[in-house]
Amino acid sequence: MTGLIEPVARLIESFSRLPGIGPKTAQRLTYHLLRAPDTEARTLAAALIAVRDDVVFCELCFDISTGPRCPICLDPGRDDSRLCVVEEPLDVLALERTRAFKGRYHVLHGAISPVDGIGPERLHIRELLERVAERSVSGDPYGEVVIATNPTLEGEATAMYLAERLREHVGQVSRIARGIPVGGDLEYADEVTLVRALQGRHELTDRSAP
Amino acid sequence: MTGLIEPVARLIESFSRLPGIGPKTAQRLTYHLLRAPDTEARTLAAALIAVRDDVVFCELCFDISTGPRCPICLDPGRDDSRLCVVEEPLDVLALERTRAFKGRYHVLHGAISPVDGIGPERLHIRELLERVAERSVSGDPYGEVVIATNPTLEGEATAMYLAERLREHVGQVSRIARGIPVGGDLEYADEVTLVRALQGRHELTDRSAP
């Protein structure tokens, strides 16, 4: 860029590589850090290094962790009969925030996507199948595996793939509901979502009333 | 946040402190860097450190620089009779991109804002007045000082303040035009901008035709 000194150009470029950060935002962030107190840039730099040095993936569920096992896998208070399968560590975070699921997790780190050349072998699917089979063989099978991959083409394909392979080892394989988001508007819902909402309809009982 | 391991929480927090980065974006950036190749986070960290270690402000114009004087102040090819006063280093960058100004710059690092407790003494206004007065005293006054502060309340106040103090030492003090942005729509322009556009109208000559 015209008139840009090298360290500034380099930081702008580094910021631009981040997802969702355009060149204008990268510029604004860089100039902000140039004028902010010295600690702000250095704290961010240290946090970046720490996240790469100190964070690993849990050897059991593949969620992020600071030790070989993540806090959820280590927590004796969780329900060991239920397993929830998600695509990303961020999905675990989102589900944990609801406090509605008390079981364990398994993070696939993606979804099956033939278009992008991502087959089952590129995900932590083998480990999931082994984990479930081991429990089944030891006479204590999972009561339920909830497949909470995204309701996208790839997420649905992954769910179908997993369901087939999990069924023989698990009491029940379930899929999170798809439908109109709470606070959403039928008028603006796409057709596929509406079809899913209709298909997933359930009897109104006292229990399900808001 | 529920279930967040410490290094991850710390990076999310560091990102959240940046202007325009909300907690959701900070989370997304953090998880992206967790999964991206190791170099991506480390390159960004190094660029952050370098920007603080290697970048200073030019002792003459206060633009960013890697040495005591910035490239523009050192460039013998610039027009020494014109000076353009801006609020921020980013404004220099924006003006340089146009290639329409060939003179020198002076960066104030802000604008006068009584509401925020920013008086002239908090900006590089003293240095600007000294710079202009020195040239005047040495018998080679600036032919023109263009005040290119933002067309905001603070920028206008700063422009008025500077114009008063610069006039005696300078051939001409000018202000960048305010009006309808190119490609903009009269219908959606605010009243103040429309008034400025009318006040700043000029005769259509062959020269000013597109």
Side-chain angles (χ1 to χ4, degrees):
Chain A
M1 250 186 287
T2 323
L4 256 190
I5 57 177
E6 203 271 329
V8 172
R10 199 142 41 92
L11 184 54
I12 292 175
E13 205 205 308
S14 283
F15 272 131
S16 302
R17 288 220 195 98
L18 297 174
I21 306 282
K24 280 268 168 186
T25 306
Q27 221 177 68
R28 208 163 32 79
L29 294 176
T30 299
Y31 279 82
H32 165 79
L33 287 169
L34 269 168
R35 289 185 305 149
D38 196 53
T39 50
E40 194 167 331
R42 292 184 199 279
T43 304
L44 178 55
L48 283 162
I49 303 274
V51 111
R52 295 300 312 202
D53 282 348
D54 304 342
V55 177
V56 292
F57 293 109
C58 172
E59 60 183 19
L60 187 60
C61 78
F62 302 97
D63 194 6
I64 51 167
S65 178
T66 45
R69 292 268 167 125
C70 75
I72 295 177
C73 283
L74 290 173
D75 184 350
R78 309 280 307 201
D79 177 358
D80 248 330
S81 71
R82 274 169 231 277
L83 189 65
C84 180
V85 180
V86 296
E87 295 183 19
E88 302 294 345
L90 268 180
D91 302 332
V92 174
L93 210 64
L95 288 165
E96 282 299 285
R97 245 183 260 122
T98 68
R99 295 167 194 272
F101 181 75
K102 296 295 180 199
R104 312 279 183 185
Y105 290 95
H106 193 92
V107 183
L108 300 175
H109 285 265
I112 296 172
S113 172
V115 179
D116 301 316
I118 299 172
E121 74 289 349
R122 294 270 301 271
L123 309 170
H124 293 296
I125 285 181
R126 187 176 50 80
E127 294 91 339
L128 169 64
L129 299 179
E130 281 172 12
R131 191 177 171 186
V132 167
E134 256 169 50
R135 280 280 298 266
S136 172
V137 166
S138 73
D140 178 30
Y142 282 106
E144 181 182 9
V145 174
V146 183
I147 304 182
T149 52
N150 291 324
T152 57
L153 213 63
E154 294 79 16
E156 296 293 359
T158 309
M160 299 294 282
Y161 180 92
L162 291 179
E164 261 178 54
R165 279 150 190 84
L166 289 171
R167 243 173 232 125
E168 56 174 317
H169 297 298
V170 170
Q172 186 189 335
V173 179
S174 56
R175 179 87 176 99
I176 49 161
R178 283 134 304 176
I180 312 293
V182 178
D185 196 324
L186 241 73
E187 194 182 336
Y188 299 113
D190 64 289
E191 244 170 83
V192 185
T193 299
L194 269 177
V195 169
R196 289 297 194 172
L198 282 168
Q199 285 173 340
R201 68 189 181 275
H202 50 88
E203 213 188 327
L204 272 175
T205 63
D206 284 350
R207 199 176 54 86
S208 60
Chain B
M1 251 185 286
T2 323
L4 256 189
I5 57 177
E6 203 271 330
V8 173
R10 199 143 38 92
L11 183 55
I12 292 175
E13 205 204 309
S14 284
F15 272 130
S16 303
R17 287 219 195 98
L18 296 174
I21 307 281
K24 280 268 168 187
T25 305
Q27 223 179 65
R28 210 162 30 79
L29 293 175
T30 299
Y31 279 81
H32 164 79
L33 287 170
L34 268 168
R35 289 185 305 148
D38 196 54
T39 49
E40 193 167 332
R42 291 186 200 278
T43 305
L44 178 56
L48 284 161
I49 303 274
V51 109
R52 295 301 310 202
D53 282 349
D54 305 341
V55 176
V56 293
F57 293 110
C58 171
E59 60 183 18
L60 187 59
C61 78
F62 301 98
D63 195 5
I64 51 167
S65 177
T66 46
R69 293 267 166 125
C70 76
I72 295 177
C73 282
L74 289 174
D75 184 349
R78 309 283 305 202
D79 177 359
D80 248 330
S81 73
R82 275 168 231 278
L83 189 65
C84 180
V85 180
V86 296
E87 294 182 20
E88 302 293 345
L90 268 181
D91 303 332
V92 173
L93 210 63
L95 288 165
E96 282 299 285
R97 243 182 262 121
T98 67
R99 295 167 194 272
F101 180 75
K102 296 294 182 200
R104 311 279 184 185
Y105 289 95
H106 193 95
V107 184
L108 299 175
H109 284 265
I112 296 171
S113 172
V115 178
D116 301 317
I118 300 173
E121 74 290 348
R122 294 270 301 272
L123 310 171
H124 292 297
I125 285 182
R126 187 176 51 77
E127 292 92 340
L128 168 65
L129 300 178
E130 280 172 12
R131 191 176 170 186
V132 167
E134 256 169 49
R135 279 280 296 268
S136 171
V137 166
S138 73
D140 179 30
Y142 282 105
E144 181 181 8
V145 174
V146 184
I147 304 182
T149 52
N150 291 325
T152 58
L153 213 64
E154 294 79 16
E156 297 292 358
T158 310
M160 300 294 283
Y161 179 93
L162 292 178
E164 260 178 54
R165 278 151 190 85
L166 289 171
R167 243 172 233 125
E168 57 172 317
H169 296 298
V170 172
Q172 188 189 332
V173 178
S174 57
R175 180 88 176 98
I176 49 161
R178 282 134 303 178
I180 313 293
V182 178
D185 196 323
L186 240 74
E187 194 181 334
Y188 298 113
D190 63 288
E191 245 171 83
V192 185
T193 299
L194 268 178
V195 169
R196 289 296 194 174
L198 281 168
Q199 285 173 342
R201 69 187 181 277
H202 52 86
E203 214 187 327
L204 272 176
T205 62
D206 284 349
R207 199 175 57 84
S208 61

